[in-house]
Amino acid sequence: MISVRGRYVKGLDKARYFMSLKLYREIFSTLIGREPFEGTFNIEVENISSYRDLMNMCSRYIVIPDQYYDGRVFGGLYIWFGEIERIGRVLVVRPFRSAHKENILEIVSDKRIRDELGIDYGGYVDIKILCE
């Protein structure tokens, strides 16, 4: 298990669209075991400089390749399983085609994390990434 600390940051307002697609909702629902919230919770990780470092430190991740859906190609994903206190099981996601800096990760949950934790932009959250 790896613990990461991240600062809650504003996203690019694209996740809501992707999370509304049946393609991604089915992937996330299957992995998390529940219907996901329609957005992601973005964190800027402080103790890891890049998602690539996380890949090296925690090799237990899932690779979802690019997907063909409704005549279009949608980017693949790197996904780790994680836990957040008071939230429970989450998915830690890094899209292949992300426009974010390399130390930004997106968190998928069945809950609206910012409301559940009472956190505002700039607040910190600790995530346990399950590597075993």
Side-chain angles (χ1 to χ4, degrees):
M1 176 177 51
I2 296 173
S3 292
V4 296
R5 184 166 179 81
R7 184 173 57 87
Y8 176 39
V9 294
K10 183 163 177 35
L12 303 173
D13 294 324
K14 294 182 179 182
R16 189 173 308 277
Y17 166 72
F18 290 108
M19 294 295 287
S20 73
L21 297 175
K22 182 179 179 185
L23 163 72
Y24 289 113
R25 289 190 76 74
E26 286 181 354
I27 290 169
F28 295 136
S29 293
T30 299
L31 293 174
I32 203 166
R34 299 177 298 280
E35 192 68 20
F37 175 72
E38 65 266 10
T40 61
F41 182 83
N42 299 311
I43 60 165
E44 183 174 21
V45 180
E46 294 201 330
N47 54 338
I48 297 175
S49 62
S50 166
Y51 71 93
R52 296 173 199 277
D53 294 338
L54 181 57
M55 293 170 78
N56 291 327
M57 296 166 61
C58 184
S59 60
R60 185 181 171 221
Y61 59 91
I62 297 168
V63 177
I64 304 291
D66 288 350
Q67 303 287 306
Y68 297 89
Y69 178 76
D70 201 24
R72 293 178 54 194
V73 178
F74 289 87
L77 308 164
Y78 300 109
I79 303 173
W80 293 263
F81 292 99
E83 292 178 356
I84 299 175
E85 191 174 329
R86 296 182 17 221
I87 300 297
R89 185 175 183 173
V90 298
L91 301 175
V92 179
V93 178
R94 176 65 188 202
F96 289 2
R97 301 177 184 188
S98 179
H100 286 295
K101 297 186 303 185
E102 288 198 355
N103 68 332
I104 303 282
L105 299 173
E106 300 185 40
I107 312 302
V108 173
S109 173
D110 64 323
K111 300 173 178 77
R112 187 173 191 167
I113 296 173
R114 73 177 184 192
D115 290 348
E116 293 286 327
L117 297 180
I119 192 171
D120 291 321
Y121 293 125
Y124 287 88
V125 64
D126 295 308
I127 301 172
K128 294 176 186 172
I129 298 179
L130 310 176
C131 299
E132 294 85 39

